[in-house]
């Protein structure tokens, strides 16, 4: 049995330290290479991931790593695993847009037990331990009380293979835009989920996400009182389009978005 609370402080400290690498690199030129036509990686991604793996390896003996820049697959991880996105929002980082996050989750027996999303350039660190609530900079957070789609601020994202998925992306946007109060595309799913957890966004949906994009964030949402599923309302599985909400809007969001799945 993993006692996630007992390692929380040390884990948060390690993630905060990794944020200093992002801060240090912020003023330096980015050495960018392309993993895909619009999928970027920088020396900062690699440096943060290496730091996190070095520091976390002894925190939970026996845990493996599923990390964006070094993992060859994105299947459900082993029984005990750290799931890491060192720089979520690499394109934001390259353009020096401050919505850049580091996502660290501890996966155990089929679910996330601990999740941290640090946004170093905005000085916000979100964390949650299963069953113990969600926090930002040590203060409790909760989802919004919005119960009408007309009052809802909706977040979404666009997959790296958007050229192939453009019809479905546009179809969903066409459903949401006329009904919602507004739509935002922040460019980092872990931050979108942290924003749902803290009541800044009321709904977030996106297809094509990898485990490291959302593992920490889904626990934040659940522990803040929200709900996570796929777009049909069924339990989320790796590879599914993700839907997160404040809970009150979840059935309405499913009704709106599920016809396109």
């Amino acid at each position: 049995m993993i006692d996630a609370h007992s390692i929380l402080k040390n884990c948060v400290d390690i993630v905060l330290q990794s944020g200093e690498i992002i801060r240090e690199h912020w003023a330096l030129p980015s050495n960018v290479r392309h993993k895909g036509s619009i999928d970027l990686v920088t020396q900062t991604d690699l440096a943060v991931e290496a730091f996190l793996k070095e520091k976390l390896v002894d925190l939970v003996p026996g845990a493996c790593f599923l990390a964006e820049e070094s993992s060859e697959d994105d299947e459900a991880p082993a029984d005990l695993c750290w799931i890491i996105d060192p720089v979520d929002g690499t394109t934001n980082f390259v353009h020096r847009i401050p919505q850049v996050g580091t996502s660290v989750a501890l996966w155990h027996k089929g679910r996330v037990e601990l999740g941290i999303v640090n946004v170093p350039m905005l000085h916000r660190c979100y964390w949650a331990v299963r069953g113990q609530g969600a926090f930002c900079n040590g203060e409790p957070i909760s989802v919004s009380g919005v119960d009408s789609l007309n009052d809802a601020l909706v977040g979404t994202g666009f997959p790296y293979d958007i050229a192939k998925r453009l019809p479905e992306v546009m179809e969903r946007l066409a459903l949401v835009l006329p009904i919602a109060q507004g739509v935002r595309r922040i460019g980092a799913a872990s931050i979108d989920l942290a924003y749902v957890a803290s009541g800044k966004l009321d709904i977030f949906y996106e297809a094509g996400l990898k485990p490291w994009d959302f593992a920490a964030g889904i626990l934040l949402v659940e522990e803040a009182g929200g709900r996570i599923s796929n777009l049909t309302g069924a339990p989320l599985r790796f590879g599914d389009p993700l839907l997160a909400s404040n809970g009150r809007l979840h059935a309405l969001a499913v009704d709106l978005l599920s016809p396109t799945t």
Side-chain angles (χ1 to χ4, degrees):
M1 183 67 181
I2 292 295
D3 181 3
H5 183 75
S6 68
I7 63 169
L8 174 64
K9 183 181 184 305
N10 287 338
C11 192
V12 169
D13 287 345
I14 289 168
V15 175
L16 288 173
Q17 290 170 39
S18 77
E20 293 305 312
I21 299 173
I22 294 174
R23 279 197 241 271
E24 290 167 6
H25 288 199
W26 196 256
L28 304 175
S30 295
N31 181 13
V32 182
R33 65 177 174 85
H34 286 252
K35 295 188 288 184
S37 60
I38 57 172
D39 190 2
L40 310 180
V41 62
T42 70
Q43 75 274 24
T44 308
D45 297 81
L46 301 174
V48 173
E49 183 172 310
F51 176 86
L52 289 170
K53 292 172 78 172
E54 177 188 352
K55 298 298 182 180
L56 292 173
V57 69
D58 294 325
L59 201 56
V60 181
C64 68
F65 288 92
L66 181 63
E68 180 177 15
E69 305 307 337
S70 59
S71 296
E72 296 182 357
D73 62 60
D74 54 9
E75 299 299 320
D79 179 61
L80 184 60
C81 188
W82 290 106
I83 305 178
I84 297 171
D85 192 340
V87 180
D88 186 20
T90 298
T91 303
N92 285 353
F93 176 82
V94 169
H95 292 272
R96 299 306 187 258
I97 295 170
Q99 276 77 14
V100 174
T102 296
S103 176
V104 173
L106 181 61
W107 175 274
H108 184 51
K109 294 186 176 179
R111 66 182 192 178
V112 179
E113 296 292 338
L114 179 155
I116 301 169
V117 175
N118 185 40
V119 191
M121 302 313 299
L122 297 180
H123 304 279
R124 295 287 183 272
C125 186
Y126 301 83
W127 66 81
V129 171
R130 184 168 295 279
Q132 298 186 29
F135 300 84
C136 177
N137 292 354
E139 297 297 322
I141 57 174
S142 64
V143 295
S144 75
V146 172
D147 58 8
S148 165
L149 288 175
N150 294 125
D151 296 323
L153 188 59
V154 179
T156 191
F158 305 139
Y160 288 120
D161 59 350
I162 192 168
K164 293 189 294 185
R165 295 178 181 244
L166 190 58
E168 69 182 77
V169 169
M170 298 306 294
E171 186 176 355
R172 290 187 183 122
L173 276 174
L175 293 169
V176 174
L177 281 167
I179 293 177
Q181 188 178 88
V183 175
R184 299 290 181 268
R185 200 270 180 163
I186 289 168
S190 65
I191 299 177
D192 285 294
L193 290 164
Y195 283 1
V196 173
S198 55
K200 293 178 173 62
L201 293 174
D202 307 299
I203 295 168
F204 169 69
Y205 72 93
E206 186 171 353
L209 293 173
K210 303 297 186 183
W212 44 79
D213 296 316
F214 63 76
I218 60 174
L219 184 64
L220 289 175
V221 172
E222 291 176 338
E223 288 297 318
R227 186 174 167 193
I228 298 289
S229 75
N230 66 19
L231 293 185
T232 70
L236 182 71
R237 299 174 302 176
F238 287 7
D240 287 347
L242 180 148
L243 175 62
S245 80
N246 64 1
R248 296 169 177 84
L249 293 168
H250 210 82
L252 293 172
V254 168
D255 289 344
L256 181 65
L257 294 166
S258 59
T260 65
T261 59

